[in-house]
Amino acid sequence: MLSYMLNLIMLFYCKLSHLHLISTLGQKLNLFIFKKTIMRNTFIKSALWISILFLILPGCAPIVLTGVGVGAGAGALMVEDRRSSGTYIEDESIELKTSRRIGEQLGDKVHINVISFNRNVLLTGEVPDEATKVEVAKLAMSIENVQNIANEVIIAPKSSLASRSNDTLITSKVKARFVNNKVFQVNHVKVITENGVVYLLGLVSRKEGDAATRIASTTESVRKVVKVFEYLD
């Protein structure tokens, strides 16, 4: 019932474009909650919905929810992630907002991947010239709460579907080797591949970062490894 009422409020008071963004975030949020095995806790899900509203819908009226156990349950969401629950959701919001803004401004003449981790944004992909590369970084930096930009975009034709499929395969191989090596907790390192180049992100110790780099660099078909870590030590 509570979720239904929240949806009604958003329907009447928020713009259509915002609703599309909420829908996409909602899908990711539900998947994340499922992974943490607390999907049945309506109060927690509702509290996280409200967090999203405050992050991305400044034009909507604020909604306040009170309930017993919300704080304790929400903390359980991030047991396996070194980011706080608020930062995790904010990273998802930053990715969606940045991708949308780049798409609106530059259209299909560019291919850009946006990854946000702890409010630090990694940009990869292809653009036609240096001026466009600079513009992409400016657009990303204009998004609220973005702290830093790692602009790894290259000046080249847009990658082919075959190339992107191969990148997906490489990412899967790297992650599988992380699991098999059991040197660190796998979800502490995020893996992104573009044109055979593997980018590693995360909040890690230097030992964990070195291990992840070694494993990734010795994985089949990897041309290069770029570290975009934040170190804890």
Side-chain angles (χ1 to χ4, degrees), residues 112-115 119-125 133 136-137 140-141 146-153 199-201 226-229:
I112 302 295
N113 301 308
V114 181
I115 303 298
R119 303 184 183 93
N120 297 308
V121 173
L122 168 67
L123 301 172
T124 67
K133 178 178 179 177
V136 166
M141 200 66 209
V146 170
Q147 293 183 345
N148 297 293
I149 301 290
N151 191 356
E152 295 291 331
V153 173
Y199 300 89
L200 302 177
L201 305 88
V226 177
K227 296 183 287 184
V228 198
F229 290 129

Side-chain angles (χ1 to χ4, degrees), residues 1-162:
M1 181 64 181
L2 182 56
S3 296
Y4 175 74
M5 291 181 68
L6 282 173
N7 286 334
L8 283 179
I9 291 170
M10 289 186 288
L11 179 63
F12 284 103
Y13 292 97
C14 301
K15 296 179 181 178
L16 184 61
S17 60
H18 285 153
L19 285 175
H20 175 72
L21 184 56
I22 290 173
S23 175
T24 308
L25 275 171
Q27 293 172 11
K28 291 191 175 185
L29 177 60
N30 283 333
L31 176 60
F32 182 67
I33 292 172
F34 177 78
K35 287 181 179 178
K36 304 304 177 183
T37 67
I38 58 169
M39 195 170 182
R40 294 185 180 89
N41 193 323
T42 303
F43 282 106
I44 293 173
K45 290 181 69 178
S46 299
L48 289 174
W49 269 110
I50 290 169
S51 297
I52 294 173
L53 291 176
F54 277 111
L55 284 169
I56 65 174
L57 299 178
C60 297
I63 305 170
V64 178
L65 171 69
T66 59
V68 178
V70 171
L77 283 173
M78 307 308 299
V79 169
E80 296 180 3
D81 197 305
R82 285 171 173 161
R83 293 172 291 178
S84 69
S85 57
T87 301
Y88 179 95
I89 294 170
E90 192 165 48
D91 281 334
E92 298 292 324
S93 174
I94 286 171
E95 290 179 5
L96 290 166
K97 287 180 179 179
T98 305
S99 295
R100 185 173 65 177
R101 186 164 298 179
I102 291 172
E104 290 171 348
Q105 296 295 320
L106 300 175
D108 61 2
K109 72 176 184 177
V110 300
H111 165 238
I112 302 295
N113 301 308
V114 181
I115 303 298
S116 178
F117 197 97
N118 207 34
R119 303 184 183 93
N120 297 308
V121 173
L122 168 67
L123 301 172
T124 67
E126 303 83 35
V127 296
D129 51 53
E130 183 65 29
T132 306
K133 178 178 179 177
V134 172
E135 180 64 17
V136 166
K138 287 181 179 178
L139 290 171
M141 200 66 209
S142 70
I143 300 298
E144 185 180 6
N145 296 320
V146 170
Q147 293 183 345
N148 297 293
I149 301 290
N151 191 356
E152 295 291 331
V153 173
I154 63 173
I155 300 169
K158 290 193 292 185
S159 58
S160 65
L161 180 59

Side-chain angles (χ1 to χ4, degrees), residues 152 154 170 174 192-200 213 216-217 219 221-227:
E152 295 291 331
I154 63 173
I170 291 173
V174 172
I192 308 297
T193 307
E194 180 70 30
N195 197 27
V197 178
V198 171
Y199 300 89
L200 302 177
T213 302
S217 64
T219 300
S221 302
V222 173
R223 297 196 301 111
K224 179 182 176 182
V225 175
V226 177
K227 296 183 287 184

